[in-house]
Amino acid sequence: MTESNDTPIQTEEGDERQHRRIKSFVMRAGRMTEGQQRGLDQGAPKFVLPLADAPVDYDQVFGRCAPRSLEIGFGMGHSLLEMAAAAPEQDFIGVEVHRPGVGALLNGVLTQGLTNLRVYDCDAIEVLNRCIADNSLDRLMLFFPDPWHKSRHHKRRIVQASFAELVRSKLKVGGILHMATDWEPYAEYMLEVMNVAPGYRNLAEDGKCVPRPAERPITKFERRGERLGHGVWDLKFEKQS
């Protein structure tokens, strides 16, 4: 996945001849700033969770029972940090493999003294399959995933029927899958996938996209795009069963 205003982290499918499964990322190297390194050195022992072999008791992790959201591919973490700071009564879990991005988020967590955010620095599909209990999430967020523009690469997109079903299994009834993209053809593709995914209801009045929800922060990239006339499309689907 890629958050367009941040460092790209893409969905990867392995060599077709080997029929490897889709992953939620492509590992990319990046230079580390002093603040990002501080975040990793001081924040990782406190806030980075290991990949588990059984569903995790997040009430125990956070020390409370609270509404819980998970974001896949938070990039440099600006939006996730802002959401967590704005909603201290909620808990947030972020998944990201780009080390500078993880460090940046953790540095922000330390600087702001947040306690309602935890991080996984591994494949999001593995996290969903191994760590997240069924019917446990209130919201899953997927903001600005890599659209894989070329038709022959569409199979590499993270948004697939199998992904929709996996997410549905992890959401509570009434839980929300919230996706956003800055590429209209990908928004149309997401709608095609989700409109036939069982157990979901599109929350858009016109059956397409919703206005930008207030809880999703506007990024610098998005503001710049708006000045240039670029659009952003938000999709919200509620789990019904």
Side-chain angles (χ1 to χ4, degrees):
M1 170 187 153
T2 181
E3 184 168 339
S4 301
N5 59 309
D6 292 324
T7 302
I9 296 173
Q10 302 171 342
T11 301
E12 177 194 51
E13 186 177 26
D15 191 321
E16 291 180 4
R17 291 171 299 176
Q18 299 180 18
H19 300 288
R20 286 194 257 169
R21 66 174 178 79
I22 293 176
K23 292 185 178 180
S24 64
F25 66 92
V26 166
M27 187 69 76
R28 296 183 182 274
R31 298 182 62 181
M32 201 79 65
T33 67
E34 184 176 334
Q36 291 164 358
Q37 191 62 57
R38 169 182 177 265
L40 289 174
D41 292 342
Q42 299 181 25
K46 299 178 181 178
F47 302 107
V48 173
L49 301 176
L51 190 62
D53 291 322
V56 175
D57 183 352
Y58 292 103
D59 287 355
Q60 184 177 49
V61 170
F62 288 99
R64 65 178 182 177
C65 179
R68 204 150 288 147
S69 297
L70 183 146
E71 181 179 2
I72 293 177
F74 56 74
M76 298 305 288
H78 304 307
S79 295
L80 184 56
L81 191 67
E82 186 174 337
M83 287 187 289
E89 75 284 359
Q90 300 179 30
D91 293 333
F92 294 84
I93 302 167
V95 186
E96 179 60 71
V97 295
H98 184 63
R99 297 292 286 173
V102 174
L105 176 67
L106 293 175
N107 189 46
V109 169
L110 293 170
T111 300
Q112 298 189 37
L114 302 182
T115 60
N116 63 332
L117 200 157
R118 297 294 187 275
V119 176
Y120 286 97
D121 57 358
C122 49
D123 179 16
I125 303 302
E126 288 294 313
V127 172
L128 288 173
N129 277 319
R130 295 171 56 177
C131 303
I132 308 298
D134 289 350
N135 305 300
S136 65
L137 293 175
D138 294 273
R139 177 174 50 167
L140 188 141
M141 300 172 290
L142 180 67
F143 298 154
F144 307 103
D146 193 316
W148 290 101
H149 298 83
K150 296 180 180 179
S151 296
R152 67 176 181 271
H153 292 157
H154 286 184
K155 61 182 176 293
R156 302 183 181 185
R157 292 171 169 175
I158 189 170
V159 180
Q160 306 280 352
S162 59
F163 175 76
E165 178 57 28
L166 177 59
V167 171
R168 187 175 73 92
S169 72
K170 303 304 175 181
L171 289 172
K172 298 176 181 177
V173 173
I176 303 298
L177 169 57
H178 179 189
M179 300 180 289
T181 180
D182 58 353
W183 200 56
E184 189 172 13
Y186 196 24
E188 295 169 350
Y189 167 86
M190 289 175 170
L191 282 171
E192 289 178 6
V193 172
M194 295 305 301
N195 282 340
V196 297
Y200 284 103
R201 179 174 72 93
N202 191 339
L203 296 184
E205 292 184 359
D206 63 358
K208 295 182 180 179
C209 298
V210 299
R212 186 191 68 83
E215 71 271 14
R216 182 176 69 76
I218 301 178
T219 64
K220 292 180 181 178
F221 173 87
E222 192 172 344
R223 290 192 183 95
R224 184 168 66 247
E226 286 178 348
R227 292 195 297 270
L228 296 173
H230 301 165
V232 170
W233 291 265
D234 283 86
L235 297 83
K236 277 192 172 186
F237 284 82
E238 179 185 69
K239 175 180 173 177
Q240 291 193 298
S241 64

